[in-house]
Amino acid sequence: MQTQLSSIKLAEIETELLVVLAVDTQTAKGPDAKPELKLLTADAAVQAAAAAVLSSGETKGGSNETVLLHAPAGLQAKRLLILGLGKQAKATVHAVRNAAGAAVRYTKPRGIRELVFALPELASLPLAGCARAAVEGALVGDFDPDTYRSDRKDQSVKSFVVAAPAGADQAAVEASFAEGMIVGESQNFARALVNEPGNKLTPTILGQRAALMAAEVGLGWEVHSTEKLHELKMGAFWSVSQGSEEPPSLIVLRYEPEGVTDGPVLGLVGKGITFDSGGISLKPGDNMEKMKYDMAGGAAMLGAMRAIALLKPRVRVVAVVCAAENMPDGKAQKPGDVQTAMSGKTIEIINTDAEGRLVLADGLTYAKQLGATHLIDAATLTGACVVALGMINAGAFANDDAIYAKFDGALATSGEKFWRLPLGDEYAELIKSEIGDIKNTGGRWGGASTAAEFLKVFADETPWIHLDIAGLAWVEDSKPYIAKGPSGVAVRSVLEWVRSY
Ligand code: BES
Ligand code: MN
Ligand code: ZN
């Protein structure tokens, strides 16, 4: 998809499809309160072309609601799409991001290959922020997961033009637009990885894809395997890998901006289970195919690193992705086994399906050894988190309020939904082991928190955030602005968190 910024007057733009946003300004409630639509453009010709359909009541301007006009009078565009943002009071930059995605997804099945998206003219919506969000949303909307269909029809949009109104701060809008491309493409980079099935994306191949990307954007990189795990005494990470024919990958990416020699080093740690069968504690067959997305946390960190390399914040970052396949085998670890983690802590394995926390334990320890002063991890870690928050919010945990405040601030820009969940000594109690230091499950209740407590043992005194994205990494029902499939969640939030330093 080609993207471009234009400042041509809307009425004069020649295009297959001109998209203009509308809000409902009605604030009264009750049966007589009819929607009052306002088109978010000052262009008189567009206003005139849309007037009849707007007053017809055929569209209520609801969120992502569409009405299409062919051959709109007085415009050079062949079609005019009026796209609802919902109530004016709820019209945010995040709604604009989704609207751009919905516009792109509107065109795809209709064979329209190019469109112009008019930035909304509304005092409460900053134009530069909208430009960034629009490109992000368009790129995200353009992604479809049907990579391996032999009759794959390439419905990809060829050209997405963002039209900025006259009087916009061109330089600011342009810079923001360029950012949006980097962020959207990085999110799609992560989604493409998550979409790959386990046979096409083994830990080794994930390592190769990470290395290729790193070389392309100028990150330092190393990819290690079995020997290095043994050398570093990564007994927790290795215990997951030992039951698979596929060797593990320990992926390390480094971002070291020139001239930055002090200050924090941010450590990004990702769970990269390329397939999670459960191991000897085998999962039931229903939906097991979904467990190819168990590397979504790792992919999110790789996507964030890609964006970091291109956006160049003035802070050092190191990423560690622990990739392995969790399989049952004669050599697989067994419930009851005791493993020694890189940190020296001993772990009693209660359930081999609680493997994510094992690879992350050593990933967190290693990130600290590589100099990380602040940690963030992302993982499709627990079904319990999905039970708690549904597919609406992802879970977030932190051992330090200051680091969490930074993350919370990042969410305002990313627009992603995370909800902070509790840690606490009572949860830590539940993972004490009789035979060793800790066990890898804490029983039936509070599973997201006991998993987080397990990780906290390895983050130890270092300020740390844990993101449990099990419920959001895969979009179960397609939405107007995003296809069913990998979401790329956490890329944008981790990136903004990094940029806040
Ligand atoms: N990868 C799963 C968690 C998961 C569940 C991700 C649903 C995405 C959707 C994880 O490795 C796992 O199996 N967790 C277990 C932990 C349990 C054995 C303590 C779970 O949540 O059931
Ligand atoms: Mn598992
Ligand atoms: Zn897993």
Side-chain angles (χ1 to χ4, degrees), residues 370-407:
L370 295 174
T373 57
H374 297 68
L375 292 166
I376 188 165
D377 77 67
T380 45
L381 202 65
T382 68
C385 191
V386 192
V387 172
L389 299 173
M391 292 170 172
I392 312 295
N393 280 281
F397 299 81
N399 62 354
D400 177 271
D401 288 341
I403 197 174
Y404 192 77
K406 286 265 196 194
F407 185 73

Side-chain angles (χ1 to χ4, degrees), residues 168-254:
D169 177 346
Q170 286 296 329
V173 170
E174 234 162 83
S176 204
F177 177 90
E179 253 179 42
M181 285 187 48
I182 291 170
V183 178
E185 282 170 356
S186 298
Q187 188 173 339
N188 283 350
F189 171 82
R191 294 167 82 197
L193 292 176
V194 176
N195 197 43
E196 292 290 348
N199 65 326
K200 303 282 185 192
L201 191 92
T202 59
T204 305
I205 298 173
L206 182 58
Q208 290 166 353
R209 299 271 288 256
L212 258 168
M213 179 276 284
E216 220 174 86
V217 300
L219 291 166
W221 63 271
E222 286 163 50
V223 179
H224 302 284
S225 191
T226 311
E227 257 179 53
K228 185 78 173 181
L229 266 62
H230 292 324
E231 184 191 309
L232 291 169
K233 300 196 162 55
M234 290 182 151
F237 184 0
W238 171 249
S239 78
V240 176
S241 184
Q242 71 184 56
S244 171
E245 292 287 329
E246 292 293 340
S249 280
L250 171 60
I251 303 165
V252 180
L253 303 184
R254 279 198 181 83

Side-chain angles (χ1 to χ4, degrees), residues 271 276 294 355:
K271 169 177 175 180
D276 180 12
D294 214 17
E355 85 296 343

Side-chain angles (χ1 to χ4, degrees), residues 48-321:
V53 74
L54 284 185
S55 59
S56 73
E58 279 168 43
T59 176
K60 297 185 172 58
S63 173
N64 298 318
E65 203 182 306
T66 53
V67 58
L68 181 71
L69 288 172
H70 277 263
L75 306 187
Q76 293 297 309
K78 287 192 188 156
R79 304 174 188 82
L80 175 65
L81 182 72
I82 299 164
L83 181 54
L85 267 190
K87 291 274 186 201
Q88 172 159 305
K90 290 191 177 167
T92 60
V93 169
H94 308 308
V96 173
R97 182 187 292 107
N98 289 346
V104 164
R105 294 199 70 72
Y106 180 90
T107 63
K108 295 187 92 183
R110 292 173 172 83
I112 302 171
R113 289 288 193 275
E114 54 118 343
L115 69 157
V116 174
F117 185 84
L119 287 183
E121 293 180 72
L122 187 65
S124 59
L125 290 174
L127 277 174
C130 285
R132 172 184 160 173
V135 195
E136 285 173 8
L139 287 163
V140 167
D142 197 41
F143 180 102
D144 269 304
D146 58 344
T147 337
Y148 291 100
R149 265 202 193 146
S150 44
D151 68 342
R152 185 176 201 220
K153 297 181 184 59
D154 185 13
Q155 298 182 327
S156 180
V157 167
K158 293 226 156 55
S159 157
F160 179 81
V161 176
V162 172
D169 177 346
Q170 286 296 329
V173 170
E174 234 162 83
S176 204
F177 177 90
E179 253 179 42
M181 285 187 48
I182 291 170
V183 178
E185 282 170 356
S186 298
Q187 188 173 339
N188 283 350
F189 171 82
R191 294 167 82 197
L193 292 176
V194 176
N195 197 43
E196 292 290 348
N199 65 326
K200 303 282 185 192
L201 191 92
T202 59
T204 305
I205 298 173
L206 182 58
Q208 290 166 353
R209 299 271 288 256
L212 258 168
M213 179 276 284
E216 220 174 86
V217 300
L219 291 166
W221 63 271
E222 286 163 50
V223 179
H224 302 284
S225 191
T226 311
E227 257 179 53
K228 185 78 173 181
L229 266 62
H230 292 324
E231 184 191 309
L232 291 169
K233 300 196 162 55
M234 290 182 151
F237 184 0
W238 171 249
S239 78
V240 176
S241 184
Q242 71 184 56
S244 171
E245 292 287 329
E246 292 293 340
S249 280
L250 171 60
I251 303 165
V252 180
L253 303 184
R254 279 198 181 83
Y255 169 70
E256 281 158 353
E258 237 180 73
V260 181
T261 50
D262 57 2
V265 176
L266 307 180
L268 279 44
V269 180
K271 169 177 175 180
I273 301 297
T274 58
F275 186 72
D276 180 12
S277 71
I280 295 298
S281 312
L282 193 64
K283 287 181 182 293
D286 267 7
N287 297 320
M288 202 205 269
E289 75 283 356
K290 299 293 293 296
M291 282 301 113
K292 69 171 190 174
Y293 84 78
D294 214 17
M295 33 61 72
M301 292 319 192
L302 297 177
M305 285 305 277
R306 182 185 182 278
I308 289 163
L310 296 171
L311 292 172
K312 307 195 190 318
R314 301 290 298 157
V315 61
R316 292 172 291 171
V317 188
V318 59
V320 176
V321 175

Side-chain angles (χ1 to χ4, degrees), residues 7-18:
S7 54
I8 304 176
K9 281 183 69 177
L10 293 189
E12 285 161 18
I13 292 182
E14 288 180 28
T15 175
E16 290 290 324
L17 182 74
L18 172 63

